[in-house]
Amino acid sequence: MPPAERRLLLVLRALGLGDLLTALPALRALRDAHPDHRIALAAPRALHELALHSGAVDTAIDAAPLQPIDLRGLPAPGIAVNLHGRGPQSTAVLRDTSPSRLVAFDAGACPPRWRDDEHEVLRWCRLLGEGMGVATDPSRLDIAPPRNDVPRPAHGATLIHPGAAYAARRWPAERWAAVAREEQRRGHHVVVSGGAAEVDLARDVARRAGLRRDRVLAGSLSVLDLCATVAASARVVCGDTGVAHVATALRRPSVVLFGPTPPSLWGPPPHPRHRVIWHGSTGDSRAGSTDPGLLRITVDEVLAELDALNEQANQAYADSSRRSLRSSSADTARRSRTTQGSPPTASRSAPSAVARP
């Protein structure tokens, strides 16, 4: 069916980068379950390229948190799905689009119920399972590396992202700088990323660490540029913020620092390439100062986790080399046995030479 003739399935997720990436398994499940619908994601404009790059949606509509959705030129949704929040405000935003069917937490006769103690990825998969009978796979978090240009210093570098949306989740700049200095001393290139509002922070970290100005990438990257840069890096070190989810989506090794929010709610999936540091306390993730639990994380702890990632990389390289050597030895042995049991080369090759046009 042509896209213009398909019914509209509207999804609200007007939040940030990490929010989009944690919703990918749910979005992909909707795509699989409703191939006859046009999937439209209402999200901030800065995320549209990434949403379309993921292949999970057909179109993106500019939307701000809890603001009316402009569906100009589009029909009323056949289905509207609230992947934004528990409601009632976000659910009311979708209800105002006059959908034939509305799927949301705590809305309707027998709706799925919101749980506070649930990982963000699992929450939205459960909404679709309980609210729509849609099969989901929470592991479908990957995206393909974008083909955007990558700044030269980022290739094979340790990418440090010191910022976060709220001060509660920002580790002190001097500690990030200490990590950067030690990574350089150990022979690793270091770059510092950040959004447009984090340029001063990134420059401060770089200055304290003695990095060249071209190692500061903050403010110069679009969302897809950032994803391509993470894909080209060797490892990512950051707080509980969107870049951590980019590393997960691109399967890049990461060290993620958690403070007020436990990794059981927002952390990466269990895998040796993702190292999480958390001291077990919780707090206000939107507070105006660094969370006390985050402050308990030391520079030495972060460096130890980076060492663990390096050891894993070295072991993986050694294992790969041994497999390659065994495969090469086996091929040599097979060729040797074949040669020993075959007629002389001249007798074998002469007929084929005659047969060639």
Side-chain angles (χ1 to χ4, degrees):
M1 184 181 297
E5 298 179 13
R6 287 186 289 168
R7 300 192 72 188
L8 186 68
L9 195 162
L10 177 64
V11 181
L12 177 61
R13 186 74 167 167
L15 297 165
L17 174 59
D19 303 282
L20 170 59
L21 292 172
T22 52
L24 282 182
L27 289 169
R28 285 168 170 155
L30 286 171
R31 153 65 62 229
D32 292 346
H34 296 280
D36 56 334
H37 281 65
R38 185 181 183 192
I39 311 294
L41 175 68
R45 187 175 300 277
L47 299 177
H48 288 189
E49 282 190 326
L50 177 57
L52 295 172
H53 174 77
S54 75
V57 303
D58 296 305
T59 190
I61 302 167
D62 191 23
L66 306 182
Q67 296 302 306
I69 301 172
D70 184 359
L71 290 181
R72 200 174 317 166
L74 294 172
I79 305 172
V81 181
N82 185 357
L83 298 186
H84 185 94
R86 71 183 301 172
Q89 298 94 330
S90 53
T91 301
V93 168
L94 281 176
R95 189 173 284 116
D96 286 344
T97 66
S98 302
S100 301
R101 180 184 182 189
L102 176 62
V103 180
F105 281 116
D106 302 333
C110 298
R113 297 299 178 186
W114 179 274
R115 298 175 188 164
D116 288 327
D117 59 343
E118 189 170 26
H119 193 281
E120 189 70 4
V121 173
L122 300 179
R123 168 177 292 128
W124 304 113
C125 288
R126 181 174 64 83
L127 172 67
L128 301 189
E130 295 182 6
M132 302 177 73
V134 169
T136 61
D137 179 355
S139 70
R140 296 178 70 187
L141 293 163
D142 294 359
I143 60 172
R147 296 182 177 180
N148 297 43
D149 292 337
V150 174
R152 187 180 299 274
H155 288 275
T158 297
L159 186 147
I160 291 177
H161 190 95
Y166 295 94
R169 292 185 275 126
R170 294 184 206 131
W171 206 44
E174 62 271 19
R175 299 192 195 180
W176 286 119
V179 171
R181 279 196 304 272
E182 182 59 21
E183 278 289 277
Q184 285 194 109
R185 191 191 69 78
R186 296 175 178 184
H188 302 292
H189 297 303
V190 177
V191 295
V192 186
S193 65
E198 298 165 337
V199 173
D200 289 343
L201 172 61
R203 288 176 176 170
D204 184 32
V205 170
R207 178 185 58 79
R208 292 171 184 261
L211 299 178
R212 298 200 310 262
R213 288 184 65 88
D214 68 342
R215 302 306 171 95
V216 178
L217 309 181
S220 65
L221 305 174
S222 69
V223 171
L224 274 189
D225 290 338
L226 175 62
C227 291
T229 300
V230 168
S233 69
R235 62 195 68 79
V236 173
V237 197
C238 62
D240 172 20
T241 189
V243 172
H245 301 286
V246 174
T248 294
L250 291 163
R251 299 192 175 195
R252 300 313 299 147
S254 64
V255 176
V256 186
L257 286 59
F258 280 82
T261 303
S264 60
L265 301 183
W266 278 94
H271 194 283
R273 68 172 162 261
H274 301 305
R275 317 290 294 189
V276 168
I277 307 176
W278 181 55
H279 278 261
S281 61
T282 58
D284 181 0
S285 64
R286 300 190 175 189
S289 58
T290 306
D291 180 76
L294 187 58
L295 287 174
R296 285 200 287 273
I297 297 176
T298 67
V299 170
D300 286 343
E301 284 180 274
V302 177
L303 293 172
E305 295 299 343
L306 283 168
D307 284 341
L309 287 181
N310 291 334
E311 289 173 9
Q312 287 173 12
N314 292 339
Q315 184 61 51
Y317 178 79
D319 292 344
S320 176
S321 296
R322 282 194 292 270
R323 286 193 298 269
S324 178
L325 181 60
R326 285 196 296 268
S327 176
S328 177
S329 298
D331 287 346
T332 300
R334 281 194 296 272
R335 285 196 298 270
S336 176
R337 288 193 297 271
T338 300
T339 301
Q340 291 170 7
S342 301
T345 302
S347 301
R348 186 173 64 249
S349 61
S352 59
V354 173
R356 288 192 184 122

